[in-house]
Each structure stands twice: as C-alpha cells, then as structure tokens.
Amino acid sequence: MIKLNINGKTHQVDVEPEMPLLWVLRDVLGMTGTKYGCGVAQCGACTVHVNGEAMRSCSVPVAAIEGKKITTIEGLSQNGLHKVQKAWIEHEVPQCGYCQSGMIMAAVNLLERKPNPTDADIDLAMTNICRCGTYVRIRAAIHAAAKA
Amino acid sequence: MDTVVTSASRRSFLKASAAIGGGLAIEFTLPANSLAQSRGVAAGQEVTAWILIYPDERVVVRIARSEMGQGSFTGLPMLVAEELQCDWKNVSAEYASTTEQMKRNRVWGSMSTGGSSSIRTSHEILRRAGATARTMLINAAAQQWNVAASECVAENGVITHAASRRSTTFGKVADAAARLDAPKDVKLKDPKDWKLLGTARKRFDIPDKVTGKQVYGIDVTLPGMLHASVMQSPVFGGKVRSVDSAAAEKIRGVKQIVRLENAVAVVADNWWRANQALKTVKVEWDEAGNSNVSSDSIMALLSAGLDDPAIPNAKKTGDAATALSGAARVMEAEYFTPYLNHATMEPQNCTAWVKGDKVEVWAPTQNAEGTVTEAAKALGVPEINVEFHKMHLGGGFGRRGVVQDFVKLAVLVARQVNTRLDVPVKLTWSREEDIKQGAYRPVSLYRMKAGLDAAGNITAWHSRIAAPSIMLSFQPDRVRNGIDTNALGGFIDMPYTVPNTQVDYSLKQPHVPVTFWRAVAHSQNPFARECFIDEMAHATNKDPVEFRRVILKAGDRNLLVMEAAARAAGWNSPLPAGVHRGIAVQDSYGSYAAAVIELSVSDAGEIDVKRVVVAVDSGYVVNPDSAKAQIESNVVYGLTAALLGEITIKNGRVEQSNFYDYQMLRINRIPKVESVLVPTGGTAWGGFGEPPLSPLAPALCNALFAATGKRIRSLPVKNHDLKQA
C-alpha cells in the first residue's frame, strides 16, 4: 500500500511503486482532469504540483512522492476559481482544452515563484505543448493573472 | 408542463409532414425528456428537432457537429438564437443523439465536422429552425389570448401582445407550441438587423475546460471498465504472423491478450499495466512486401510520376507549351511537402462494450455517423444496433474524421474480451502508437514552369503535381481518369490571370495511409504556388504585392484580403534593421486568407518569427472572438508544420515516435498574431477552421527569402541551413 496526499486527502493505493502518478490519478482514483499526452515528460498535459513544484506526473513514480503534498487541477482551488482559472476564462484561452489542465498548473506554479513574470520568464517556465495554438492567449492570461 | 404524451396519430402526421417538407422536420419525440425525467429534472419541450425549451426558460440547442476547440458548440446556437429571439444567457448546447439521428431519418442532417463546414453548411437550417420555433411560440401565445399572431412580438424569450398588454414567456408556451403545425415558410432576418450574430460571445465549453471537469473520450470511466493498449503492424498493411505473450500474461492486472489480424492488444485493469505488458509482447509481422519502402523510394516514385510524358492533364487554358517556348524568360522550380501527423493532444481512443449483436461505443469523433458505420461494419451488425455516445475531442484537425481506425480496433478488442467478461473496454493508443499509426497529410512534389514576357508579365504557367490521393481510399469514384481534383486545390482554381495554364497530376499511392489534415491540399499547394509567385516577383524586380495586384482581377476577394493584410502590416513602411517580411494569399473552403509574416534570421541561422498578420474574408463572422482564436490557432499549427513538421518513412514504417522527434512549437517561439476580419457579406458563407492556415507556409518562406536570399523549396524549414555566409 502506498499512501498519497492528494488535494488534502489521503489515499491508500495498492499499486507497483514504479507506477507513474498520472495513471494512479486517472485509472486508480478516477481523477481524469490530469491528462495523458506523451508519457515521456515532453508535453506537460499531465502537470501537477508536488510540494508546490510543477511536475510531469507521467514520469513520477508514486513511490517517490509518498507523503508529499500533491495538488491536481481538481484541487487547485477549493473555494471558487483560482485567479489563473479566472484569467483563462476571461481571455477565452482553451480551444479543445485538452492541454489546459497542465498549462494552468504550470502557470500557477510560475506565478507562485515569480508573481510578476516577464515574457522571458513565461518562455522559460511554460514548456507545455498546445496543438490548438492557444499560446498567444496563455501569455496574455498569465500577465493578467499576475495583475489580479 | 413536465410531461408531454406523444400520441400515435400525432407521430404519423409528423412523419408525413417531415417527408413532404424535405427541409426542416418538426418532430415531437422526446428522448432527452425521458432522460431528464429519469434524472428527476424538469423536462424540456422539443419545439423543433434542434430546440428544447424548458419551463425555467432554458433553451438547449442540439448540435449535430463536433466541438474540437473551434467553437461550434457556441457558434451554432448563436445562429438559432438570432432568429429565435430568446435571451442568450438562457442558451446552452447539447449533442444531438446519434441513435435518434438513425431512428428519425437523419433529422439533423450531416453530423460530419470537417472542411470548415459546421457553420457554412448549416447556418441556414439553424436560422430557419430558430425562426420556425419563434413563429410556433408566438402562434401558441396568440391562440391562448385569442388574438392574431401578427399582433404579437417575441423578444428576449418574452412574447408580448401590446394592445391587450399581455405577455408570456417561451417556457410557458413551449408545450403548446410544440403541438402546433410548423409554419411552411419563415422569413429570415436581413443580416443588417442581426443583434447576436457578429458579436463576441463567451464560449460555452470554456469553464469546464479550466477546471478539469470536461470529459473527453479518453476520460470515459465506467463501472468495471478494463483498459487496453494496442500495437498495430509497424509496417502499414502488415499482419500478425505470431505472438509470444508469455511475459505479458504474468504482469499484474493483465486480463487478456487480444490478437487481431493487424494488431495485438493487452487488456488490463489500468492502462499503464496494459501498456507495460504490451511492451513485453513479441510479435512477428508479415510486412506485406512493404518493408523496403522509404522516404527516398517515395520521392523517387513521385519524381517518376512527374517525369512520365503520359502524366494526366487535369486542367488547361490556352496553350502553355507554345507560350513557354516563345517566352522571353522561363522559370522552373521544384517544391516538396512532407507527410504530416495531426498529433492531436488527446491520443486516439475509443471505449466499447459488445453485448451480443449490440454494441455501445464512446469516442471522440469528428464524424459521428462514420463512427457508427465503422463499429457496425467491424462487428457485422446493423447500424441501429450501435448505441453511440459522442465525446468531446482533445483536438481533431482531420484525424478523427473519415478514418475511424480507433473505433474499429476498440470494438474488435471489446468483442473478444466480452465473450468472457461483460465489461466495457477503453482502448487508448500510446503517443508512440498515435505518431506511428497516423493517417497522414500526403506528401507532394511539384514541378512548375512559368513563362514571362520581356515586360515581366506571366504568359504561361505549367504545374505538374505528384501526390497520393485521399479520395482513393474512401471515395474512389471521386478519382476520375486518374485525377483527384481534391489534391489540386489552389492550382486548378488559381485566381491569377495567366493566359496559358496547364495543371497535370500524377497519382502515386505509397502504402502510407493518408487523410484530411487541417486545410488538406490547401495546407501544401499554396506553399508551392505562392512561393513560386514570389520567385517571379523577385526575378522581375517587382514588389510581391504589386506583382500579385496586376494578376488578380478587380473585385477578387483574394485581392481584397491581400490588401487588407498588407495594409494592416504596413507593407510599404520600413522595417527595423534585420527584420524582413513575406506575403501570401490563398482562398479555401469559401473563405479568403492572406498573411504577412515578419521575421529575422540570426547569423547562426536561427529564425525569430516576430509578427504574423492574417486577414480573412469569410463572408460572415458569427463569433468574432472564435474567428480570432482560429486565426491564432492556424498560425501556430501552420508555422509548426512549416518550420518543424515532418514524418519520414524507413523500412516501411514511420521513423518518428513522440514529441521529441516529431516536434511542436512551444510558447517561446510564438509570434505576435494580428487578426484582421474583413467579411464582405453577400450570399457566400466561408469556413474558418482551416482557411487561415493556407497562406502561412509560403508567407514564412517568402520572408525567409527576403531575409537570407535563400529560397526554401521543401518543407520543413528546419532541414535547411540558413547560416549567413
């Protein structure tokens, strides 16, 4: 049994220690807001926070994060929407939306580290892939959230 | 008010009227209501097949097409609401049921989502549905008040009879309205009177997409569901010869190894275990004689097609050969575009549950009826035995349209599992499988020859194009005399006034499967055409805009958008040192698009695309914010393809496998995007999901020529050395 602290709740999961967090979230715990995109930490669709750090859950074995504080898109904001989610709505960022959970988790982490990011900071931190090409609005929404 | 009983006589009357009307069928069956009632929710009244109105004034518009990020889920209801004159804040959307579509004689028309067609091919039927429902609602109120309907007006969901100072709401009269005959004809508003259409509206699907609540096909979760990972023959067309799954069977959670004709799947209690186990399966393939095919051999095939003196002619005006032989100057160039994978962010997937001769299917699809057909065909059951649940798509771009391989695999895997275990099976492709088992944008090879007179005017243009045919695989009758005109868009309908033209086409079909990829031939042909035009402009020392202006007819909307883009970009104004620009124009899917791209190239050859201006004339614009989002989307999709996109073949199989070797632009390389909407109205509605893509690759390469003096004639750009000497 592996004990995971996800969005403030403790979950006991009977899985292999090397099973990636992504698949524990999606297939074992039924939390499908975190997406599978590539499985090799390239696209960032699976981004979650582990102890406040943005990580690509497809490449994080659950045993490595036992006892750490995990936050997913479902737990990003317990009361209402996070200011990043509000900015995403205001700027109509998502198209197909599939990458957006990961984008939002990456953006929240960026703003926690750098409350007023420059364009260069955004370029460096936001390495997730969006095939619909919502990047222009993502940049605008991050700047707006920084001011909110 | 919650329950409406449908009488048999009413049903038969409606059936007859639908058959006679031939257009919009007004019906009266209530599948959504029974669902709503089972959930304990107040039922909505179906006023027309497209429109449900609830007692609490909610208006639900049924959507036949698929939402894949392009905004149809909001744009289509806007068309209905404009004429219905309900309160927009009460409007939402739901998918029309595919099963009801079959039972009700295709009452919602096409459910296909491709060719940038959702709005342009259904705007009329949807506006009519809105006007029809409004008329019926007004008639119902007028009957209740015993006044003439002509004295009543509807606005914001409220019907008013001014003379008697009475008013009611759509929600209150929807039940009565649904029992009335539909008006035979309705008058649609003049576009100048529109209040909703053309105004920016928030998209309905956005809120759930920022909270992780949006359920995509890949998120389908059902009680007892098992998960499958699949490996198809790495050489297209290959078959399974033998399978050694001894190691896989021992892996925890594995339930079954499924062997199909062309694939092996592992079924387990979660996808990771299924996929881990699949990696241990040893399969011997019969590679069907294709194991020697390579990108080089495909190039040789295309080249031989162009060398063939008997190459079929697709179009001819004047006499290009004679004009070329008499030309003061002849220019020749060869261009090439590669295979491309769509790489939807959500990998291909489908969930299926076979129950005897029936099957339940969940899938993200651009083509709901095609999904049903594929599932039925694969299982050998009637289509009506397929209960299909259309899920939102994590990207489409053409991958989930006519090609429904993910559905076929899922139902075949489920059938084997369901002989032992009565549970649904979700089949999800790994990203590697998705990249290697695509249905690709075809390769294409172009040889063009242009004749110029002494003054630099084009007198002749001969284009020879070799490319696979998409139509050949699913509508072979569209290929006539060896010619698939679908592959020739942009050439056979070239807007330039060249007196002598000839377009030849050599259909060459390697074993690599091909399908529609965003903008289809218009994603590649404009690269050759518009770069060659740029070559001619530079060769004759003419400005590329001026050069095109001379050969575009007055009033041509290509001219209009080119000038709009040039104006917005400040074409004639000087650029900062080191910054260069290029332009291109192309019409497609009823719309006209032009792009100006500004960029710089460092001494080391690194490209910095700084600014992209795209002007589009789509006739009308329903939701301007969605239109702008589609321009931004096409800029990224188009530049990604032009700069980086390339699928290559070696030993009969795709060489790329994931995002590290099939690369995507990320935010650090995205330019400033400026959208210029110049709708000219009239009778033609153009599409928006694809047309902005068409001018991007040529505008990029024309700018690169301006910057470096190097002419890029094959994509992707990354294969070219742009280092400054």
Side-chain angles (χ1 to χ4, degrees), chain A residues 42-118:
Chain A
Q42 277 281 318
C43 77
C46 64
T47 303
V48 300
H49 298 168
V50 178
N51 281 358
E53 199 183 327
M55 295 188 92
R56 293 185 171 172
S57 65
C58 73
S59 302
V60 176
V62 275
I65 50 165
E66 197 167 3
K68 292 184 182 170
K69 197 167 159 262
I70 300 157
T71 307
T72 70
I73 187 75
E74 289 93 345
L76 179 60
S77 183
Q78 306 287 3
N79 305 304
L81 294 172
H82 188 281
K83 67 176 182 179
V84 168
Q85 290 169 314
K86 285 182 190 160
W88 248 242
I89 291 174
E90 187 55 35
H91 289 259
E92 300 261 297
V93 172
Q95 290 190 25
C96 90
Y98 192 80
C99 72
Q100 299 297 342
S101 295
M103 287 287 186
I104 288 168
M105 297 307 283
V108 168
N109 183 252
L110 166 64
L111 290 171
E112 281 168 2
R113 290 184 287 112
K114 299 205 171 193
N116 285 298
T118 61

Side-chain angles (χ1 to χ4, degrees), chain A residues 14-16 18-20 23 26-28 30 32-43 45 56 73-74 76 81 85-86 88-101 104 122-124 126-139 142, chain B residues 67-69 201-203 205-207 209-212 214 216 218-219 221 227 252 270-273 341-347 393-395 397 426 428-432 517-518 625 628-630 632-633 636-637 640 658-660 662 664-668 670-671 673:
Chain A
D14 175 19
V15 299
E16 298 83 328
E18 70 272 24
M19 185 165 173
W23 296 106
R26 289 183 57 82
D27 285 0
V28 179
T32 55
T34 305
K35 303 302 185 198
Y36 167 63
C38 69
V40 291
Q42 277 281 318
C43 77
R56 293 185 171 172
I73 187 75
E74 289 93 345
L76 179 60
L81 294 172
Q85 290 169 314
K86 285 182 190 160
W88 248 242
I89 291 174
E90 187 55 35
H91 289 259
E92 300 261 297
V93 172
Q95 290 190 25
C96 90
Y98 192 80
C99 72
Q100 299 297 342
S101 295
I104 288 168
I122 292 172
D123 286 349
L124 209 60
M126 300 296 293
T127 57
N128 297 15
I129 294 172
C130 170
R131 285 293 279 150
C132 296
T134 61
Y135 299 119
V136 171
R137 293 184 186 214
I138 285 172
R139 187 184 298 282
I142 291 173
Chain B
E67 174 61 63
M68 45 195 183
R201 296 289 151 169
K202 294 278 184 194
R203 283 176 39 207
D205 52 329
I206 300 268
K209 288 177 174 175
V210 306
T211 55
Q214 177 71 67
Y216 298 85
I218 201 170
D219 300 327
T221 305
H227 300 259
R252 184 177 169 190
N270 67 54
W271 188 81
W272 180 73
R273 285 174 181 157
N341 184 303
H342 306 73
T344 56
M345 281 311 296
E346 179 196 25
L393 292 79
F397 314 119
K426 177 162 73 184
T428 305
W429 297 22
S430 66
R431 174 60 62 192
E432 289 78 7
W517 184 98
R518 199 174 198 173
D625 192 61
K628 286 176 184 164
Q630 282 309 296
E632 292 158 15
S633 175
V636 175
Y637 208 79
T640 298
N658 205 318
F659 290 129
Y660 48 78
Y662 188 64
M664 302 296 146
L665 289 185
R666 300 171 198 244
I667 204 167
N668 63 326
I670 304 306
V673 180

